[in-house]
Amino acid sequence: ALVLHKGGDGVTPGGNALALSAGGAGLTSTALALSKKAPPKVHVPDWHAPWKLKAVVSGHLGWVRAISFDPSNKWFVTGSADRTIKVWDLAKCSVGAPDGLMLTLTGHISCVRGLAVSDRTTYMFSVAEDKMVKCWDLEQNKVVRHYHGHLSGVYACELHPSLDLLVTAGRDSVARVWDIRTARSAFVLGGHQNTVGTILCNPVDPQIITGSHDCQVRLWDLAAGKTMATLTNHKKAVRCLASHPREFSFVSAAADNLKKWQTRDGKFMRNLSGHNTIINAVACNEDGVLVSGGDNGSLHFWDYSTGYNFQQMDTIVQPGSLDAEAGIYAMGFDKTGTRLITCEADKTLKIWAEDDTATEDSHPIDMKAWTKACRQFKRY
């Protein structure tokens, strides 16, 4: 029996009873002392300098939907709803020079949704909502191969880091693996129930990771062409994935949360909460800065290792645009990780860089708010 007594005139507890004494005599020797659990340890985030806008580049006539960087870091390519692919000089665009545009490629008949520049060849690959997957030879600046097979618009493409394979995915709910040289389909990775909007490729298993609007992330065994693991934690459509350049982990982003996972087995690591909008793009650099870009033009900067949100800002639409055109569709860090380029709904590219004048004293880590956020009860 559980006996509560006040001063000593109540009923005395039995041998196996729990005595909770309010009278001041304290807990008896036979009583159980329920010690309070120690609060969880709070990891101190790494300090990162805040980022600020450096330059705005205009030239496209439609929403800018895709970006990819040259391995030598001299130029980058963007794809847009105006059906063109533009090649830009990175150094000139970074300082806002007017002659940053190097080349415009035409050939798609609908919005260009994905671009990938090869590290090992002179090829660039583009995918669009016209169901076409094109291979461009950038020495001749023309299309040299087509990859036929998608049944609807193609939303993402990614090159395998060590094999001559191209992975594309789109609205037909599958990811297709292509042999680059023969233009033949090696695998059709089926299993998603809705549009596949984003792809990651790794040199080791899982060699392909896909995120879909059916709220699932799938890790694929490329040798067998089958799913290794299905991650069903998200409650909203997964529109983008980003992997860390050095750590074998990745982040998936949806309107409910950003989630960090171990790449090896798909083990859940942590939530990054607070960016409450549709997230179209995420990017991560070697310094551990993770950036998420929202459909409403919001940018959130996170410490990748701990999930600390060290900066929030909203993009500014270019003059003459509606406020509703503040939306970020794609983003990427250059090869050095010092410049971030966002592709936006106001038809511009915006180039961001760290604030050189910021110090740990001028922009300190808010440990009080971070500790409170870490220790509050969470539902996963």
Side-chain angles (χ1 to χ4, degrees):
L2 176 64
V3 182
L4 300 170
H5 69 99
K6 282 188 179 176
D9 53 343
V11 185
T12 54
N16 61 348
L18 173 64
L20 300 176
S21 167
L27 292 169
T28 60
S29 57
T30 54
L32 265 169
L34 300 174
S35 60
K36 201 174 178 184
K37 194 173 149 188
K41 187 183 175 189
V42 175
H43 295 282
V44 179
D46 295 331
W47 182 82
H48 300 285
W51 291 64
K52 63 180 184 180
L53 184 63
K54 286 285 186 185
V56 179
V57 181
S58 54
H60 277 295
L61 302 175
W63 293 349
V64 191
R65 299 298 305 239
I67 186 166
S68 185
F69 287 87
D70 155 46
S72 66
N73 212 39
K74 290 178 180 165
W75 48 267
F76 64 97
V77 288
T78 56
S80 166
D82 63 9
R83 310 185 299 262
T84 64
I85 299 164
K86 290 185 185 285
V87 185
W88 308 85
D89 185 307
L90 182 58
K92 287 180 179 175
C93 288
S94 297
V95 294
D99 56 341
L101 181 62
M102 296 165 68
L103 188 67
T104 301
L105 301 169
T106 57
H108 281 289
I109 56 171
S110 193
C111 173
V112 180
R113 291 296 294 262
L115 294 166
V117 178
S118 173
D119 289 353
R120 292 176 296 153
T121 62
T122 58
Y123 293 152
M124 177 186 75
F125 300 86
S126 63
V127 299
E129 290 176 7
D130 53 15
K131 311 180 197 175
M132 287 200 260
V133 181
K134 292 178 185 282
C135 173
W136 304 78
D137 187 337
L138 292 176
E139 285 185 338
Q140 307 170 59
N141 295 333
K142 67 179 187 182
V143 178
V144 291
R145 285 190 198 94
H146 286 91
Y147 301 85
H148 295 288
H150 275 286
L151 306 176
S152 193
V154 194
Y155 282 8
C157 68
E158 192 77 25
L159 284 162
H160 193 284
S162 52
L163 302 173
D164 283 335
L165 295 174
L166 172 72
V167 187
T168 60
R171 227 168 59 202
D172 52 4
S173 308
V174 296
R176 293 177 189 266
V177 183
W178 308 90
D179 184 326
I180 288 171
R181 288 171 288 192
T182 64
R184 289 201 180 138
S185 177
F187 284 112
V188 178
L189 306 177
H192 283 294
Q193 307 298 315
N194 207 331
T195 302
V196 183
T198 177
I199 310 166
L200 277 182
C201 285
N202 297 303
V204 295
D205 281 333
Q207 293 178 57
I208 298 170
I209 304 170
T210 55
S212 168
H213 294 196
D214 64 6
C215 312
Q216 294 180 357
V217 178
R218 283 179 183 257
L219 283 58
W220 300 88
D221 180 349
L222 185 57
K226 292 180 180 174
T227 305
M228 286 172 58
T230 305
L231 315 178
T232 57
N233 301 40
H234 279 290
K235 299 179 185 68
K236 299 284 184 182
V238 181
R239 289 168 184 260
C240 46
L241 301 169
S243 59
H244 192 278
R246 291 185 186 164
E247 189 181 299
F248 203 45
S249 61
F250 71 97
V251 165
S252 60
D256 56 349
N257 265 316
L258 284 87
K259 293 181 188 288
K260 185 177 172 184
W261 313 85
Q262 274 184 13
T263 309
R264 184 179 70 248
D265 52 4
K267 183 185 173 189
F268 175 75
M269 294 171 77
R270 69 169 50 84
N271 271 336
L272 287 75
S273 302
H275 201 172
N276 300 319
T277 183
I278 295 168
I279 299 171
N280 290 318
V282 281
C284 184
N285 70 5
E286 287 197 359
D287 295 335
V289 176
L290 177 75
V291 191
S292 54
D295 213 43
N296 58 1
S298 58
L299 276 170
H300 282 221
F301 293 80
W302 314 79
D303 174 38
Y304 185 85
S305 60
T306 59
Y308 171 66
N309 184 198
F310 69 88
Q311 189 182 6
Q312 299 178 13
M313 67 169 106
D314 291 311
T315 188
I316 304 160
V317 294
Q318 72 168 337
S321 300
L322 302 170
D323 287 340
E325 288 184 309
I328 296 165
Y329 288 128
M331 63 168 66
F333 283 102
D334 70 345
K335 297 297 178 184
T336 63
T338 56
R339 284 169 291 199
L340 172 73
I341 302 182
T342 56
C343 305
E344 309 204 359
D346 62 356
K347 307 170 191 170
T348 64
L349 311 165
K350 294 194 174 71
I351 300 175
W352 311 78
E354 284 187 340
D355 187 350
D356 299 332
T357 59
T359 63
E360 291 192 46
D361 295 325
S362 65
H363 294 79
I365 295 169
D366 188 353
M367 277 307 294
K368 189 176 179 183
W370 173 235
T371 304
K372 185 181 176 184
C374 286
R375 289 183 175 166
Q376 72 185 17
F377 175 73
K378 297 183 186 71
R379 283 181 61 192
Y380 287 113

